[in-house]
Coordinates of all heavy atoms in Angstrom, one line a residue:
S1 N -13.6 1.3 -11.2 CA -14.5 0.7 -10.3 C -15.2 1.7 -9.4 O -14.6 2.8 -9.2 CB -13.8 -0.5 -9.5 OG -13.3 -1.5 -10.3
H2 N -16.2 1.2 -8.7 CA -17.0 2.1 -7.9 C -16.8 1.9 -6.3 O -16.6 2.8 -5.7 CB -18.4 2.2 -8.3 CG -18.7 2.8 -9.7 ND1 -18.8 4.1 -9.9 CD2 -18.7 2.2 -10.8 CE1 -19.1 4.4 -11.2 NE2 -18.9 3.3 -11.8
T3 N -16.8 0.6 -6.0 CA -16.8 0.3 -4.6 C -15.8 -0.9 -4.5 O -15.5 -1.7 -5.3 CB -18.1 -0.2 -4.0 OG1 -18.7 -1.2 -4.9 CG2 -19.1 0.9 -3.9
R4 N -15.2 -1.0 -3.3 CA -14.3 -1.9 -2.8 C -14.6 -2.2 -1.4 O -14.5 -1.4 -0.5 CB -12.9 -1.6 -3.1 CG -11.8 -2.4 -2.6 CD -11.6 -3.6 -3.3 NE -11.1 -3.4 -4.6 CZ -10.5 -4.4 -5.5 NH1 -10.5 -5.7 -5.1 NH2 -10.0 -4.1 -6.7
R5 N -14.8 -3.5 -1.1 CA -15.1 -4.0 0.4 C -16.2 -3.0 1.0 O -16.2 -2.6 2.2 CB -13.9 -3.9 1.2 CG -12.7 -4.6 0.7 CD -12.1 -5.6 1.5 NE -10.9 -6.2 1.0 CZ -10.9 -7.1 0.1 NH1 -12.0 -7.6 -0.4 NH2 -9.8 -7.6 -0.3
G6 N -17.2 -2.7 0.2 CA -18.4 -2.0 0.7 C -18.2 -0.5 0.9 O -19.0 0.3 1.2
Q7 N -16.9 0.0 0.5 CA -16.6 1.5 0.6 C -16.4 2.0 -0.9 O -16.0 1.3 -1.7 CB -15.4 1.7 1.4 CG -15.4 1.2 2.9 CD -16.4 1.9 3.7 OE1 -16.4 3.2 3.4 NE2 -17.0 1.3 4.6
P8 N -16.4 3.3 -1.0 CA -16.0 3.9 -2.4 C -14.5 3.6 -2.6 O -13.8 3.5 -1.7 CB -16.3 5.3 -2.2 CG -17.2 5.5 -1.1 CD -16.9 4.2 -0.1
C9 N -14.2 3.2 -3.8 CA -12.8 3.0 -4.2 C -12.0 4.3 -3.8 O -12.5 5.4 -3.7 CB -12.7 2.8 -5.6 SG -13.4 1.3 -6.2
W10 N -10.8 4.0 -3.3 CA -10.0 5.1 -2.8 C -9.8 6.3 -3.7 O -9.9 7.5 -3.2 CB -8.6 4.6 -2.4 CG -7.6 5.5 -1.8 CD1 -6.5 5.9 -2.2 CD2 -7.9 6.2 -0.5 NE1 -5.8 6.9 -1.3 CE2 -6.7 7.1 -0.3 CE3 -9.0 6.2 0.4 CZ2 -6.6 7.9 0.9 CZ3 -8.8 7.1 1.5 CH2 -7.7 7.9 1.8
F11 N -9.7 6.1 -5.0 CA -9.5 7.3 -5.9 C -10.8 8.1 -6.1 O -10.8 9.1 -6.6 CB -9.0 6.7 -7.3 CG -10.0 6.1 -8.2 CD1 -10.6 6.9 -9.2 CD2 -10.4 4.7 -8.1 CE1 -11.6 6.3 -10.1 CE2 -11.2 4.2 -8.9 CZ -11.9 5.0 -9.9
R12 N -12.0 7.4 -5.7 CA -13.2 8.1 -5.7 C -13.5 8.9 -4.5 O -14.6 9.6 -4.4 CB -14.4 7.1 -6.1 CG -14.2 6.6 -7.4 CD -15.5 5.8 -7.8 NE -15.4 5.1 -9.1 CZ -15.6 5.8 -10.4 NH1 -16.0 7.2 -10.3 NH2 -15.5 5.3 -11.5
V13 N -12.7 8.9 -3.4 CA -13.0 9.7 -2.2 C -12.5 11.1 -2.5 O -11.5 11.4 -3.2 CB -12.0 9.1 -1.1 CG1 -12.0 10.0 0.1 CG2 -12.4 7.6 -0.8
P14 N -13.4 12.0 -2.1 CA -13.0 13.4 -2.2 C -11.7 13.8 -1.9 O -11.2 13.4 -0.8 CB -14.2 14.2 -1.5 CG -15.3 13.2 -1.4 CD -14.6 11.8 -1.4
K15 N -11.1 14.7 -2.6 CA -9.7 15.1 -2.3 C -8.6 14.2 -2.5 O -7.4 14.4 -2.3 CB -9.6 15.8 -0.9 CG -10.5 17.0 -0.7 CD -10.3 17.6 0.6 CE -11.2 18.8 0.8 NZ -11.2 19.4 2.1
V16 N -9.0 12.9 -3.0 CA -7.9 11.9 -3.2 C -7.6 11.9 -4.8 O -6.6 12.2 -5.2 CB -8.3 10.5 -2.7 CG1 -7.3 9.5 -3.1 CG2 -8.5 10.5 -1.2
G17 N -8.7 11.4 -5.5 CA -8.6 11.4 -6.9 C -7.3 10.6 -7.4 O -7.0 9.5 -6.8
M18 N -6.4 11.2 -8.3 CA -5.3 10.5 -8.9 C -4.1 10.6 -7.9 O -3.1 9.9 -8.1 CB -4.9 11.2 -10.2 CG -5.8 10.7 -11.3 SD -6.0 9.0 -11.6 CE -7.7 8.6 -11.1
I19 N -4.3 11.2 -6.8 CA -3.3 11.1 -5.7 C -3.3 9.5 -5.3 O -2.1 9.1 -4.9 CB -3.6 12.0 -4.5 CG1 -3.5 13.4 -4.9 CG2 -2.6 11.6 -3.3 CD1 -3.9 14.4 -3.8
A20 N -4.2 8.9 -5.6 CA -4.3 7.5 -5.2 C -3.3 6.6 -5.9 O -2.8 5.5 -5.5 CB -5.7 6.8 -5.6
V21 N -2.7 7.1 -7.1 CA -1.7 6.5 -7.9 C -0.5 6.5 -7.0 O 0.2 5.4 -6.8 CB -1.5 7.1 -9.2 CG1 -0.3 6.5 -9.9 CG2 -2.8 7.1 -10.2
N22 N -0.1 7.6 -6.5 CA 1.0 7.6 -5.6 C 0.8 6.8 -4.3 O 1.8 6.2 -3.8 CB 1.4 9.1 -5.3 CG 2.9 9.2 -4.8 OD1 3.8 9.0 -5.5 ND2 2.9 9.7 -3.6
D23 N -0.4 6.9 -3.8 CA -0.7 6.1 -2.6 C -0.5 4.6 -2.9 O 0.1 3.9 -2.0 CB -2.1 6.3 -2.1 CG -2.3 7.8 -1.6 OD1 -1.4 8.4 -1.2 OD2 -3.5 8.1 -1.6
G24 N -0.9 4.1 -4.1 CA -0.7 2.7 -4.5 C 0.9 2.5 -4.4 O 1.3 1.4 -4.0
I25 N 1.6 3.4 -5.0 CA 3.1 3.2 -4.9 C 3.7 3.2 -3.6 O 4.5 2.4 -3.3 CB 3.7 4.3 -5.9 CG1 3.4 4.1 -7.4 CG2 5.3 4.2 -5.8 CD1 3.7 5.3 -8.2
L26 N 3.3 4.1 -2.7 CA 3.7 4.1 -1.4 C 3.3 2.7 -0.6 O 4.2 2.2 0.0 CB 3.0 5.1 -0.6 CG 3.6 6.6 -0.9 CD1 2.8 7.7 -0.2 CD2 5.0 6.8 -0.3
L27 N 2.1 2.3 -0.9 CA 1.7 0.9 -0.3 C 2.6 -0.1 -0.8 O 3.2 -1.0 0.0 CB 0.3 0.6 -0.6 CG -0.8 1.4 0.1 CD1 -2.1 1.3 -0.5 CD2 -0.8 1.0 1.6
R28 N 2.9 -0.2 -2.0 CA 3.9 -1.2 -2.6 C 5.2 -1.2 -2.1 O 5.8 -2.1 -1.8 CB 3.8 -1.1 -4.2 CG 4.6 -2.2 -4.9 CD 6.0 -1.7 -5.2 NE 6.9 -2.7 -5.8 CZ 7.7 -3.5 -5.0 NH1 7.7 -3.4 -3.6 NH2 8.3 -4.4 -5.5
N29 N 5.6 0.1 -1.8 CA 7.0 0.2 -1.3 C 7.2 -0.2 0.2 O 8.3 -0.2 0.7 CB 7.4 1.8 -1.4 CG 8.1 2.0 -2.8 OD1 9.3 1.6 -3.0 ND2 7.4 2.4 -3.8
H30 N 6.0 -0.3 0.9 CA 6.1 -0.8 2.3 C 6.5 -2.3 2.3 O 6.9 -2.7 3.4 CB 4.7 -0.6 2.9 CG 4.8 0.8 3.5 ND1 4.4 1.8 2.8 CD2 4.9 1.3 4.8 CE1 4.5 3.0 3.6 NE2 4.8 2.6 4.8
I31 N 6.3 -3.0 1.2 CA 6.5 -4.5 1.2 C 8.0 -4.8 1.6 O 8.3 -5.4 2.6 CB 6.2 -5.2 -0.1 CG1 4.7 -5.1 -0.4 CG2 6.6 -6.7 0.0 CD1 4.1 -5.5 -1.8
P32 N 9.0 -4.2 0.8 CA 10.3 -4.5 1.1 C 10.8 -3.9 2.5 O 11.7 -4.5 3.2 CB 11.2 -3.8 0.1 CG 10.3 -2.9 -0.7 CD 8.9 -3.3 -0.4
R33 N 10.2 -2.8 2.9 CA 10.4 -2.2 4.2 C 10.0 -3.1 5.3 O 10.7 -3.3 6.3 CB 9.8 -0.8 4.4 CG 10.4 0.1 3.3 CD 9.6 1.5 3.3 NE 9.5 2.2 4.5 CZ 10.4 3.0 4.8 NH1 11.4 3.3 4.0 NH2 10.3 3.7 6.0
I34 N 8.8 -3.7 5.2 CA 8.3 -4.7 6.2 C 9.2 -6.0 6.3 O 9.6 -6.4 7.4 CB 6.9 -5.0 6.0 CG1 6.0 -3.8 6.2 CG2 6.4 -6.1 6.8 CD1 4.5 -4.0 5.7
L35 N 9.5 -6.5 5.1 CA 10.3 -7.7 5.1 C 11.7 -7.4 5.7 O 12.3 -8.2 6.3 CB 10.5 -8.1 3.5 CG 9.3 -8.7 2.8 CD1 9.6 -9.0 1.4 CD2 8.7 -9.8 3.6
K36 N 12.3 -6.1 5.4 CA 13.6 -5.8 5.9 C 13.5 -5.7 7.5 O 14.3 -6.3 8.2 CB 14.0 -4.5 5.3 CG 15.5 -4.0 5.8 CD 15.9 -2.8 5.1 CE 17.1 -2.3 5.6 NZ 17.5 -1.0 4.9
K37 N 12.5 -5.1 7.9 CA 12.4 -4.9 9.5 C 12.4 -6.2 10.2 O 12.9 -6.4 11.2 CB 11.2 -4.1 9.7 CG 11.0 -3.9 11.2 CD 9.6 -2.9 11.3 CE 9.4 -2.8 12.9 NZ 8.3 -2.0 13.2
H38 N 11.5 -7.1 9.6 CA 11.2 -8.5 10.4 C 12.3 -9.5 9.9 O 12.4 -10.6 10.8 CB 9.8 -8.8 10.1 CG 8.8 -7.9 10.8 ND1 8.6 -7.8 12.1 CD2 8.1 -7.0 10.2 CE1 7.8 -6.9 12.4 NE2 7.4 -6.3 11.2
F39 N 12.8 -9.7 8.8 CA 13.5 -10.9 8.2 C 14.9 -10.6 7.9 O 15.6 -11.5 7.4 CB 12.7 -11.5 7.1 CG 11.3 -11.7 7.5 CD1 10.3 -11.0 7.0 CD2 11.0 -12.8 8.4 CE1 8.9 -11.3 7.3 CE2 9.7 -13.1 8.7 CZ 8.7 -12.4 8.2
R40 N 15.5 -9.4 8.0 CA 16.8 -8.9 7.6 C 17.9 -10.0 8.0 O 18.7 -10.3 7.3 CB 17.2 -7.6 8.1 CG 18.5 -7.1 7.6 CD 18.3 -6.3 6.4 NE 19.4 -5.3 6.1 CZ 20.4 -5.7 5.4 NH1 20.6 -7.0 5.0 NH2 21.4 -4.9 5.1
Q41 N 17.8 -10.5 9.2 CA 18.8 -11.4 9.8 C 18.5 -13.0 9.5 O 19.5 -13.8 9.9 CB 18.9 -11.3 11.4 CG 19.0 -9.8 11.9 CD 20.1 -9.1 11.2 OE1 21.2 -9.7 11.0 NE2 19.9 -7.8 10.9
K42 N 17.4 -13.2 8.8 CA 17.1 -14.6 8.4 C 18.0 -15.1 7.3 O 18.1 -14.4 6.3 CB 15.6 -14.7 8.3 CG 14.7 -14.3 9.4 CD 14.9 -15.1 10.7 CE 13.9 -14.6 11.7 NZ 14.1 -15.4 13.0
N43 N 18.2 -16.4 7.4 CA 18.9 -16.9 6.1 C 18.1 -17.0 4.8 O 18.6 -17.2 3.8 CB 19.5 -18.3 6.6 CG 18.5 -19.3 6.8 OD1 17.2 -19.0 7.1 ND2 18.7 -20.6 6.8
Y44 N 16.8 -16.9 5.0 CA 16.0 -17.0 3.8 C 15.6 -15.5 3.4 O 14.6 -15.4 2.5 CB 14.8 -17.9 4.1 CG 13.9 -17.4 5.4 CD1 13.1 -16.3 5.4 CD2 14.1 -18.1 6.5 CE1 12.5 -15.9 6.5 CE2 13.4 -17.8 7.8 CZ 12.6 -16.7 7.7 OH 11.9 -16.3 8.8

């Protein structure tokens, strides 16, 4: 793709390129970290 939310796609930004693959993985890894931080003590 070329654009996302009116901006160039992240992988099309100069000096990013395929580093965006790792950035995507990092973003995905924040999900369990955020859940752990806020909900670790909850019964659900």
Side-chain angles (χ1 to χ4, degrees):
S1 298
H2 292 274
T3 54
R4 169 76 67 170
R5 313 235 182 280
Q7 302 288 327
C9 292
W10 183 238
F11 79 99
R12 291 194 183 272
V13 172
K15 297 184 183 175
V16 176
M18 285 303 113
I19 294 170
V21 174
N22 199 58
D23 290 339
I25 294 167
L26 283 172
L27 287 168
R28 183 262 172 267
N29 274 279
H30 274 78
I31 297 168
R33 293 168 69 86
I34 291 166
L35 294 176
K36 184 179 177 181
K37 182 180 177 181
H38 295 283
F39 304 106
R40 185 91 163 84
Q41 309 307 321
K42 304 291 183 184
N43 62 339
Y44 52 76

